[in-house]
Amino acid sequence: MTSALSATTALLDNTLRVETPEGIDLLLHPAGLVPRALAFALDLLIRGAILAILGFAFASLGKFGMGVGALLLFLVQWWYMVLFEVLNQGRTPGKQWLGLRVIHDDGTPVGWASSLTRNLLRFVDMLPFGYFLGSLCCLWHPSFKRLGDLAAGTVVVYRERNISAPALPAAEAVASPLPLTLAEQHALIAFAERHSTLSAERRLELASILAEALQVAPAQAETRIHGIARSLVGPA
């Protein structure tokens, strides 16, 4: 039963369950390569606009203006991302527009050291050109981490707008036919909570993995899981 539930948890599309230092379980949704690339492109445009405005403003000041402009170029290029991530709950303007935020692996807000590390290592992700290494790493990693995220212990996730618990589907509470560990209980409840976000085919595929362990036919496994989840959560 444990291995089957582990497989089901792993197959719950693009989710990451973490436990915060306070002992609270969070179900996070890591952001993939495309939304992250779009957020970065937006931030790149904003930085370009800022530098263009500053360059125009200091162009008339001669060598002094060139010196100040060079300093501002450094600050904008290297501190734009860090300042926004640390001071704006992990959100640069691009990430905020796309509904993303960067956090630590344990779900806590990103700090100065982690933000500096992940952003300084962008030059490695850019090798040999155009974020090639970073894109490969992002596509390979199950939580879509680039090399900077791996070094900093961070992950980019979709910002949760609704903090209320998802409603479980209507089902009659039934007892599990065998003892469940805490992790297995979490897996069954997570499946029931996400029923509306999965297609009927996907729900049948996932539920069928547990059919034998739950002692029901594959077609009845989803209903049985919902019933067990209801018994674990309690009356609505």
Side-chain angles (χ1 to χ4, degrees), residues 5 53 72 77 88 126 138 179 228:
L5 281 174
I53 294 172
L72 292 176
Q77 284 294 93
N88 193 36
M126 292 180 181
C138 191
I228 295 174

Coordinates of all heavy atoms in Angstrom, one line a residue, residues 5 53 72 77 88 126 138 179 228:
L5 N 0.8 4.3 -2.8 CA 0.5 5.6 -2.4 C 1.6 6.6 -2.8 O 1.4 7.7 -3.2 CB 0.1 5.7 -1.0 CG -1.3 5.3 -0.5 CD1 -1.4 5.3 1.0 CD2 -2.3 6.1 -1.2
I53 N 16.2 55.2 -19.3 CA 15.9 56.5 -18.7 C 17.0 57.1 -18.0 O 17.3 58.3 -18.1 CB 14.7 56.3 -17.8 CG1 13.4 55.9 -18.6 CG2 14.4 57.6 -17.0 CD1 12.2 55.5 -17.7
L72 N 25.1 52.9 -11.6 CA 23.7 52.5 -11.6 C 23.5 51.3 -12.5 O 22.6 50.5 -12.2 CB 22.9 53.7 -12.1 CG 22.8 54.9 -11.2 CD1 22.1 56.1 -11.9 CD2 22.2 54.6 -9.9
Q77 N 21.5 45.9 -12.7 CA 21.7 44.6 -13.2 C 21.8 43.5 -12.2 O 21.3 42.4 -12.3 CB 23.0 44.6 -14.1 CG 22.9 45.2 -15.4 CD 21.9 44.5 -16.4 OE1 20.7 44.8 -16.4 NE2 22.4 43.5 -17.0
N88 N 9.9 42.0 -1.4 CA 8.5 42.0 -2.0 C 8.0 40.5 -1.9 O 7.4 40.1 -2.9 CB 8.4 42.5 -3.4 CG 7.0 42.8 -3.9 OD1 6.1 43.1 -3.1 ND2 6.8 42.5 -5.1
M126 N 23.4 30.7 -17.8 CA 23.4 31.3 -19.2 C 24.4 30.5 -20.1 O 24.3 30.7 -21.3 CB 23.8 32.7 -19.1 CG 22.7 33.6 -18.5 SD 23.2 35.3 -18.4 CE 21.8 36.1 -17.6
C138 N 16.2 23.0 -15.6 CA 14.8 23.3 -15.3 C 13.9 22.2 -15.8 O 13.0 21.7 -15.2 CB 14.4 24.6 -15.8 SG 12.8 25.3 -15.2
P179 N -4.5 -0.2 7.8 CA -4.0 0.9 8.5 C -3.2 1.9 7.5 O -2.6 1.4 6.6 CB -3.0 0.3 9.5 CG -3.5 -1.1 9.7 CD -4.0 -1.5 8.3
I228 N -12.8 7.4 1.9 CA -11.7 7.3 2.9 C -11.3 8.7 3.3 O -11.1 9.0 4.5 CB -10.6 6.5 2.4 CG1 -11.0 5.0 2.2 CG2 -9.4 6.5 3.5 CD1 -10.0 4.1 1.6

